[in-house]
Amino acid sequence: SAEGIDDDSTEREKEANRTPDSVKVYQPTRKEDKYIKMGLTLNIPLFNTSNTQIAIAPKIYPGGGFYFGFGYFVTNAFSLGGTISFDFYITLGTNLYFSVPFTFDMLYTFSYGKWRFPLGIGIGGNFQTYNTTKYFSLIFKPEAGFHYQYSPEWSFGSTLSWDIVPQWYKRKEYNRTGNILGLSFVARYHF
């Protein structure tokens, strides 16, 4: 009957339009992806703040550094990881100030084609040494960047960060918070 033919053609159309179970949709970053990152940084001390002043000129020149890190995608776009940096600066008195910050990083990565735009924050600690003085403080590091996915394994790009480094002392008049702008050139290996 004509009704039976219509039922068969409807079933065939449904079958032809159905997506096979084995087809995967491409995702630029996927849950459980991992990466290792390494970079070189130019650090520019912007200003210090204190209990009484908002902007105090820093007594160090721009410095440099390098860092290594790891990231793990918890979802297709949100990753958790960690970074350790090795930074140095020359002071106005021509002494060296060293800083070794380490952070726990939380990043959300937006994707467009082969471009990746991570946006997030790192929170951690910072070992500092200047002449014979040693100090440990917190560090807060909001950051934004872009990377070009050159191949499935490698991406290259840049990151802009704002390092907020508080220093608290027993005598509160010595408390200050350093504000340092970081510009990094980054390579990431994805696996």
Side-chain angles (χ1 to χ4, degrees), residues 116-135:
R116 310 290 175 259
F117 303 95
L119 181 66
I121 188 167
I123 300 170
N126 188 10
F127 293 103
Q128 303 163 63
T129 180
Y130 170 71
N131 287 340
T132 59
T133 304
K134 293 177 180 32
Y135 188 81

Side-chain angles (χ1 to χ4, degrees), residues 31-136:
K31 181 179 177 180
E32 299 181 2
D33 280 358
K34 299 174 243 357
Y35 62 87
I36 296 170
K37 63 182 177 178
M38 59 219 92
L40 296 173
T41 305
L42 170 64
N43 293 312
I44 303 166
L46 299 174
F47 59 91
N48 294 329
T49 60
S50 72
N51 296 341
T52 58
Q53 293 181 293
I54 294 176
I56 305 165
K59 295 184 178 165
I60 56 177
Y61 293 110
F66 58 94
Y67 63 88
F68 301 97
F70 172 81
Y72 176 82
F73 280 93
V74 179
T75 69
N76 287 349
F78 181 72
S79 64
L80 298 174
T83 304
I84 185 165
S85 302
F86 302 92
D87 302 331
F88 65 92
Y89 305 83
I90 297 175
T91 68
L92 296 181
T94 65
N95 294 308
L96 284 176
Y97 163 67
F98 290 100
S99 173
V100 182
F102 59 93
T103 56
F104 171 71
D105 305 324
M106 298 164 280
L107 296 170
Y108 190 88
T109 302
F110 299 92
S111 298
Y112 180 77
K114 289 190 169 195
W115 292 95
R116 310 290 175 259
F117 303 95
L119 181 66
I121 188 167
I123 300 170
N126 188 10
F127 293 103
Q128 303 163 63
T129 180
Y130 170 71
N131 287 340
T132 59
T133 304
K134 293 177 180 32
Y135 188 81
F136 177 79

Side-chain angles (χ1 to χ4, degrees), residues 147-160:
H147 299 102
Y148 180 75
Q149 192 78 38
Y150 176 76
S151 70
E153 293 84 20
W154 289 99
S155 65
F156 302 95
S158 185
T159 300
L160 187 65

